Every structure is written in structure tokens, then in C-alpha cells.
């Protein structure tokens, strides 16, 4: 059996398309974390459910294989070289683990993922560095582009993470006037911030982030790389497992 045949038999054949009723139920159960209009959110919810189902069946297959066969891995995990220099980061520069997140400030799933990343940062405060790269999905999120630009305008004043936290904590106010009001509330130099935001000076930087992300295989948000390893799971436990594995590799 080839790899493709195995994946089709154990994973793809089990992944179904959720019904409209199931999508509706998922939306209703999670709508408190979703800030975009319902009609716009439902297609994203459907895709999220499909992707989650695929990950679940893939993980089950791998776990079953590990239980059935004694496996010793000598190969290093597949890694992608993701540039971090010059991009907003927090955490020790020499941390053994670097997490790069490609995100969209208007993406409801990024908003739902935000508390998980806060939990990860708290658990590994001295052992990890978080780097944020821009990937606004402008075809679905009309306010994401300016929100991304605003974060980089705040970064000029050393306040990227303050605005990052503010926007992901409340994704309902991402229009330009609200972004300027947030900057004022945070105590930024509003004249400099407003001029930066209105000029679109960071649009080129964001476009470059998007191009590099696509080359790395990023197609949606949030997408996370842990020391270059593409992380498909979004739960704390799944991310913790990879971080612990990386820390063990460093200590060898």
C-alpha cells in the first residue's frame, strides 16, 4: 500500500462534509468567539470542521500505527525555514523554541486561538519566543488589511504587542476610526500612528509576508510553525507535545 492509498483509506475516506444543520449548530455553540457576520462565518466554519475532522482521523491513524508497531525515528522532523529577523517578537532571543504564527486580526479562528497562545506563552515563558507574521485574508475579512497595517504602525513605537493583545481580545472594532481610537487609548503618539496608517506605508511589508507564507504552504489562519515544524493541531496539549519534543531534542 502506498502512502497515498493509506491516507485515502484511513483518513480521507472518513472525512465527510458537515451538513448545513451541523455547521449551524457549531456556529451557535461558538458564536461568542466569532466577530464576523453569520453569513460570512458559515463557509469558514464548514471548512474548519472539515480540516478538524481530517486532523482527527490522521492523528488516530498515527497513534494506532505507533501502538501496533515499535517505531524508532532517527530522522529530524520536516522543517520549513521561516524568517523571523525584523518581525515582531516577544520572549528570549536565545529561546530554544521559536513559534511563528501567521495570523489575521479579523479571523475568528485566530481570535479563538489567541487564549491558547497566551496559555503556551505563560507555560514556557523562558523557553520560547513568539514571532508574528502577517497573513490577512482580505477576500474574506475586509478590515484585516488595515488591522495588519495598524499593528506595524504600533510596532514603530514599540507597542506592537499591546495592539496585538487589544485587537485579538476584541475583534469587533477593527475599522480605521476604531483602530485610531485604540492607539489613543493605548497612549501611542496618535499623530505619528494616524499618518502611518493613512499612508499605507506597511502594505508592502504585509504583501511580502503573504508571499513568503504561501511559499511555506500557508493557506489559512492561524498557521503555526514550531522551530520550523508545521503545527496542525490548535489545542494547548497538541502544541505542548511538539514543544516538549523540541526541548528534548535540544537537550540531547
Amino acid at each position: 500500500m502506498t502512502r497515498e492509498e493509506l491516507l485515502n483509506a484511513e483518513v480521507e475516506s472518513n472525512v465527510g462534509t458537515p451538513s448545513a444543520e451541523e455547521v449551524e449548530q457549531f456556529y451557535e455553540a461558538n458564536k461568542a468567539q466569532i466577530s464576523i457576520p453569520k453569513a460570512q462565518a458559515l463557509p469558514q466554519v464548514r471548512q474548519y470542521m472539515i480540516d478538524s475532522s481530517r486532523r482527527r482521523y490522521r492523528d488516530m491513524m498515527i497513534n494506532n500505527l505507533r501502538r501496533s508497531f515499535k517505531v524508532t525515528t532517527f530522522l529530524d522532523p520536516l522543517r520549513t525555514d521561516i524568517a523571523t529577523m525584523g518581525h515582531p517578537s516577544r520572549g528570549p532571543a536565545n529561546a530554544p523554541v521559536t513559534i511563528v504564527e501567521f495570523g489575521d486580526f479579523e479571523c475568528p479562528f485566530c481570535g479563538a486561538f489567541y487564549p491558547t497562545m497566551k496559555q503556551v506563552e505563560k507555560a514556557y515563558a523562558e523557553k520560547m519566543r513568539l514571532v508574528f507574521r502577517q497573513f490577512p485574508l482580505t477576500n474574506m475579512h475586509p478590515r484585516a488589511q488595515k488591522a495588519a497595517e495598524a499593528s506595524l504602525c504600533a510596532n514603530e513605537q514599540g507597542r506592537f504587542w499591546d495592539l496585538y493583545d487589544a485587537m485579538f481580545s476584541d475583534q469587533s472594532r477593527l475599522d480605521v476610526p476604531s483602530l485610531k481610537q485604540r492607539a489613543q487609548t493605548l497612549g501611542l503618539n496618535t499623530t505619528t500612528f494616524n499618518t502611518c496608517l493613512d499612508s499605507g506605508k506597511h502594505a508592502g511589508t504585509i504583501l511580502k509576508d503573504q508571499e513568503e507564507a504561501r511559499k511555506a504552504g500557508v493557506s489559512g489562519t492561524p498557521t503555526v510553525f514550531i522551530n520550523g515544524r508545521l503545527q496542525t493541531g490548535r489545542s494547548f496539549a497538541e502544541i505542548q507535545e511538539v514543544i516538549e519534543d523540541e526541548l528534548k531534542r535540544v537537550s540531547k
Side-chain angles (χ1 to χ4, degrees):
M1 182 180 289
T2 67
R3 176 180 181 275
E4 288 71 22
E5 289 171 339
L6 177 63
L7 288 173
N8 284 331
E10 299 293 335
V11 180
E12 296 301 329
S13 64
N14 292 310
V15 178
T17 301
S19 66
E21 182 180 356
E22 290 171 327
V23 173
E24 181 84 19
Q25 290 174 347
F26 185 96
Y27 171 82
E28 291 298 327
N30 296 275
K31 64 182 180 181
Q33 301 176 6
I34 301 175
S35 59
I36 62 176
K38 181 177 180 179
Q40 187 177 346
L42 290 180
Q44 298 181 52
V45 169
R46 177 179 286 105
Q47 188 59 50
Y48 175 80
M49 294 175 70
I50 293 172
D51 291 343
S52 296
S53 177
R54 180 175 290 111
R55 285 195 299 270
R56 184 170 65 255
Y57 283 113
R58 184 179 182 278
D59 290 344
M60 286 172 55
M61 179 193 72
I62 291 173
N63 289 334
N64 287 336
L65 288 172
R66 285 175 173 167
R67 282 195 294 267
S68 301
F69 303 95
K70 182 179 179 181
V71 178
T72 302
T73 302
F74 297 98
L75 295 175
D76 195 50
L78 181 65
R79 300 182 191 273
T80 303
D81 186 17
I82 306 293
T84 60
M85 184 69 68
H87 299 285
S89 67
R90 63 181 174 190
N94 60 347
V97 175
T98 295
I99 298 179
V100 179
E101 176 187 357
F102 284 94
D104 172 328
F105 290 105
E106 194 177 354
C107 165
F109 303 114
C110 294
F113 183 63
Y114 170 72
T116 300
M117 280 308 306
K118 296 293 285 186
Q119 186 180 2
V120 171
E121 287 186 89
K122 183 178 180 180
Y124 295 96
E126 301 303 318
K127 298 179 180 179
M128 66 156 282
R129 176 175 63 122
L130 174 62
V131 180
F132 190 83
R133 299 288 303 269
Q134 309 286 348
F135 197 71
L137 302 171
T138 53
N139 59 325
M140 293 187 288
H141 304 144
R143 300 176 297 173
Q145 176 67 28
K146 277 300 179 183
E149 292 178 27
S151 72
L152 296 181
C153 290
N155 192 49
E156 289 185 352
Q157 300 184 42
R159 302 294 298 279
F160 173 88
W161 294 104
D162 294 315
L163 190 56
Y164 165 97
D165 289 332
M167 289 194 290
F168 275 138
S169 296
D170 178 8
Q171 294 177 293
S172 65
R173 298 181 296 112
L174 296 177
D175 56 280
V176 171
S178 295
L179 292 170
K180 292 179 178 180
Q181 180 59 51
R182 286 178 187 263
Q184 182 177 359
T185 301
L186 290 171
L188 275 68
N189 182 318
T190 54
T191 300
T192 301
F193 178 89
N194 294 349
T195 300
C196 173
L197 186 59
D198 290 337
S199 70
K201 66 181 290 187
H202 291 296
T205 300
I206 294 166
L207 181 60
K208 185 177 179 181
D209 270 14
Q210 291 171 312
E211 291 173 348
E212 292 183 15
R214 292 189 182 97
K215 289 179 182 178
V218 177
S219 59
T221 56
T223 296
V224 171
F225 292 87
I226 303 176
N227 283 357
R229 296 167 64 174
L230 176 62
Q231 174 60 31
T232 56
R234 294 176 183 171
S235 70
F236 174 78
E238 290 169 316
I239 293 173
Q240 182 182 43
E241 181 180 358
V242 178
I243 291 176
E244 291 293 337
D245 181 62
E246 285 299 303
L247 291 174
K248 289 178 183 176
R249 291 173 183 274
V250 171
S251 63
K252 288 180 180 179

